[in-house]
């Protein structure tokens, strides 16, 4: 029998529950319960900037008193965009008739109205709360009465006197930051975070060695487990010198990764970075990262090595010869066709993560508070389990 040909196959479909991020969708409402980074702090300036997140177009600016603001772009007067507005001490002034809006959407001036607007408080320019931390501007797009505390991450709080925090926007996983807007669903990268096997195949043995040479060794033991804050994997490798390398990597709810060091000769230490996978809309995402650096350093990541070239320098044939994360993830299409997947043993982490996401979306739809949402400072600390941990069998302490 010539079974399994392409003829007559089912129309493929994606799991919209996972991929749709707009307001009113199960995933979009769940994602809106969290603070999401929307820009580097250095990108919030007196020059209005377009920002798109979770399917919403917004305008980011910083008033001349230094406060960042994030407003709906269509001016509440007659709808022109605030992209052409001018920033003043107290807010942003629309170019058309000069209405002035504060960072909280309050209308502060209507210059063509009697007494500068006797009724200017009848409406408010739609706005979202923003806060800054770790060099990033975070926005909260959810129901105001459910606004949580902006969380802290222990690995970014407990830093040495010779260290600083550096933030970067990366986007698609090209390794050189050349594509800040990745042209495919956020779920592709989310899945990738909890996939230790592609580190061995894609990054180490199929292509050239893109990360550490230690990843050439296939992990002999892989566990996936739920943590208090998401899903982790532990991938254990036998090093030639007798030590074991236990690499613990984490997916943190709702769309955060903490991947331990990947470059060079790996050291015994905890992860030093947090990365946010921020959906722009159903078909695009960007990423922001914040991590510790030694004071004076200017890079959070070294560009990935593709046979001596960066991703942007490669020819199409070289992309075929040495594909990396971008090729593998973009190759899954704009939105994964989940009905065509055949998840296997090695995908246990992805199954666990997707199951948790759906449970959390249901919880939010039923009025509950999702994991990693906290309303008091003490509970708003997220402990990150990730790291590269070396140990010698038979010895208690790690080296
Ligand atoms: S459209 Fe903005 S002030 Fe008139
Ligand atoms: Fe990867």
């Amino acid at each position: 029998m010539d079974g399994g040909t392409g003829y007559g196959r089912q129309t493929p479909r994606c799991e919209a529950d996972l991929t749709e991020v707009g307001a009113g969708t199960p995933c979009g409402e769940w994602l809106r319960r969290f603070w999401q980074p929307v820009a580097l702090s250095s990108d919030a300036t007196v020059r209005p900037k377009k920002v798109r997140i979770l399917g919403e177009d917004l305008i980011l600016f910083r008033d001349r008193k230094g406060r960042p603001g994030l407003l709906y772009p269509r001016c509440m007067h007659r709808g022109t965009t605030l992209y052409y507005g001018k920033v003043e001490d107290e807010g942003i002034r629309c170019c058309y008739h000069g209405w002035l809006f504060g960072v909280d959407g309050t209308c502060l001036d209507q210059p063509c109205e009697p007494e500068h607007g006797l009724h200017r408080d009848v409406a408010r320019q739609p706005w979202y709360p923003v806060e800054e931390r770790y060099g990033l501007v975070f926005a909260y797009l959810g129901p105001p009465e459910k606004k949580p505390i902006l969380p802290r991450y222990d690995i970014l709080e407990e830093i040495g006197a010779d260290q600083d925090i550096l933030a970067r926007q990366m986007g698609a996983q090209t390794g050189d930051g050349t594509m800040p807007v990745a042209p495919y669903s956020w779920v592709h990268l989310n899945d990738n975070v909890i996939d230790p096997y592609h580190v061995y195949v894609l990054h180490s043995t199929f292509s050239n060695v893109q990360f550490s040479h230690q990843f050439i060794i296939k992990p002999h033991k892989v566990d996936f487990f739920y943590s208090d804050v998401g899903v982790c994997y532990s991938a254990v490798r036998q090093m030639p010198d007798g030590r074991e390398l236990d690499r613990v990597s984490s997916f943190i709810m709702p769309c955060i990764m903490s991947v331990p060091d990947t470059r060079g000769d790996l050291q015994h230490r905890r992860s030093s970075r947090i990365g946010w996978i921020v959906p722009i809309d159903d078909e695009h995402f960007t990423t922001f990262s914040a991590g510790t650096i030694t004071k004076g350093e200017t890079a959070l990541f070294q560009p990935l090595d593709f046979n001596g070239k960066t991703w942007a320098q490669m020819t199409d044939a070289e992309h075929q010869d040495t594909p990396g994360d971008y090729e593998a993830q973009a190759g899954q299409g704009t939105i994964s066709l989940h009905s065509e997947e055949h998840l296997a043993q090695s995908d246990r982490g992805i199954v666990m993560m997707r199951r948790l996401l759906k449970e959390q979306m249901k919880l939010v739809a039923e009025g509950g508070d999702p994991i990693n949402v906290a309303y008091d400072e003490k509970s708003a600390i997220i402990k990150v389990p990730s790291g590269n941990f070396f140990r010698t069998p038979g010895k208690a302490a790690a080296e």
Side-chain angles (χ1 to χ4, degrees):
M1 273 288 280
D2 292 332
T5 74
Y7 179 75
R9 65 192 184 280
Q10 300 280 307
T11 305
R13 58 183 170 71
C14 68
E15 288 195 45
D17 273 7
L18 292 173
T19 59
E20 291 182 353
V21 299
T25 63
C27 183
E29 290 301 312
W30 166 68
L31 288 167
R32 278 170 172 74
R33 296 291 302 278
F34 301 87
W35 290 90
Q36 303 278 358
V38 294
L40 299 175
S41 281
S42 54
D43 283 339
T45 69
V46 293
R47 171 75 60 196
K49 179 183 164 66
K50 292 177 185 173
V51 160
R52 185 165 164 79
I53 174 172
L54 303 180
E56 298 192 38
D57 289 304
L58 302 164
I59 297 293
L60 176 72
F61 66 98
R62 188 183 296 278
D63 73 16
R64 291 188 182 275
K65 286 190 170 165
R67 295 168 294 199
L70 188 64
L71 301 182
Y72 178 65
R74 290 175 57 82
C75 171
M76 74 177 196
H77 178 218
R78 279 177 33 216
T80 196
T81 174
L82 295 176
Y83 183 64
Y84 299 111
K86 259 202 184 77
V87 170
E88 303 184 358
D89 280 358
E90 301 295 336
I92 187 168
R93 191 178 291 277
C94 179
C95 68
Y96 211 178
H97 314 93
W99 288 22
L100 175 69
F101 302 104
V103 295
D104 63 355
T106 310
C107 187
L108 301 168
D109 188 25
Q110 297 173 341
C112 307
E113 297 300 306
E115 297 185 37
H116 288 260
L118 290 169
H119 307 294
R120 61 175 189 262
D121 58 354
V122 296
R124 203 159 158 177
Q125 183 67 17
W127 67 291
Y128 287 120
V130 291
E131 283 189 33
E132 291 181 273
R133 184 169 295 157
Y134 306 137
L136 295 166
V137 180
F138 291 84
Y140 175 71
L141 275 68
E145 70 281 7
K146 301 273 194 186
K147 188 178 79 174
I149 303 283
L150 175 63
R152 298 175 184 275
Y153 301 84
D154 63 347
I155 57 172
L156 300 182
E157 297 290 324
E158 300 156 10
I159 69 169
D162 61 336
Q163 291 183 313
D164 270 334
I165 302 278
L166 189 65
R168 284 287 177 266
Q169 184 172 8
M170 286 292 283
Q173 304 293 286
T174 55
D176 58 3
T178 49
M179 208 185 296
V181 175
Y184 47 90
S185 162
W186 71 289
V187 176
H188 297 198
L189 178 52
N190 223 35
D191 286 349
N192 177 276
V193 171
I194 203 70
D195 174 4
Y197 291 98
H198 89 283
V199 177
Y200 164 66
V201 179
L202 179 72
H203 295 309
S204 307
T205 53
F206 184 95
S207 297
N208 57 325
V209 175
Q210 294 166 358
F211 293 144
S212 168
H213 62 94
Q214 284 147 310
F215 297 151
I216 296 172
I217 301 164
K218 187 175 168 185
H220 62 273
K221 185 169 176 299
V222 175
D223 285 324
F224 298 95
F225 54 94
Y226 289 110
S227 73
D228 291 343
V229 296
V231 184
C232 298
Y233 72 68
S234 148
V236 183
R237 290 172 164 84
Q238 182 63 57
M239 296 289 108
D241 61 7
R243 295 182 303 165
E244 278 185 347
L245 165 59
D246 184 4
R247 179 175 171 78
V248 179
S249 197
S250 310
F251 160 75
I252 299 170
M253 304 289 274
C255 45
I256 297 169
M257 53 183 159
S258 185
V259 176
D261 294 346
T262 54
R263 313 290 163 85
D265 220 14
L266 301 177
Q267 304 299 312
H268 175 86
R269 63 173 194 168
R270 298 181 69 196
S271 172
S272 59
R273 287 193 296 266
I274 298 288
W276 290 262
I277 304 164
V278 184
I280 290 173
D281 53 33
D282 298 356
E283 300 184 346
H284 302 85
F285 69 86
T286 189
T287 61
F288 293 97
S289 296
T292 52
I293 49 155
T294 303
K295 277 191 195 321
E297 283 179 349
T298 53
L300 206 48
F301 305 96
Q302 298 306 317
L304 277 187
D305 177 23
F306 296 95
N307 284 337
K309 290 189 173 182
T310 66
W311 184 87
Q313 294 167 334
M314 293 161 69
T315 64
D316 197 45
E318 287 169 333
H319 286 296
Q320 287 183 294
D321 290 342
T322 54
D325 271 323
Y326 175 80
E327 286 76 11
Q329 291 171 39
Q332 291 176 304
T334 309
I335 300 181
S336 275
L337 300 173
H338 296 109
S339 66
E340 295 186 342
E341 291 179 335
H342 294 86
L343 299 181
Q345 283 290 315
S346 51
D347 302 306
R348 291 192 307 284
I350 290 171
V351 172
M352 289 166 69
M353 188 259 300
R354 290 183 186 173
R355 185 180 299 148
L356 184 59
L357 258 54
K358 288 180 186 174
E359 281 170 13
Q360 292 291 300
M361 289 173 201
K362 185 163 175 284
L363 179 71
V364 166
E366 292 169 353
D369 292 329
I371 292 175
N372 292 349
V373 155
Y375 298 100
D376 64 284
E377 289 282 352
K378 232 172 86 205
S379 316
I381 294 255
I382 291 180
K383 293 198 174 72
V384 179
S386 304
N388 290 314
F389 303 115
F390 286 89
R391 56 182 173 240
T392 303
K395 280 196 189 170
E399 294 177 353

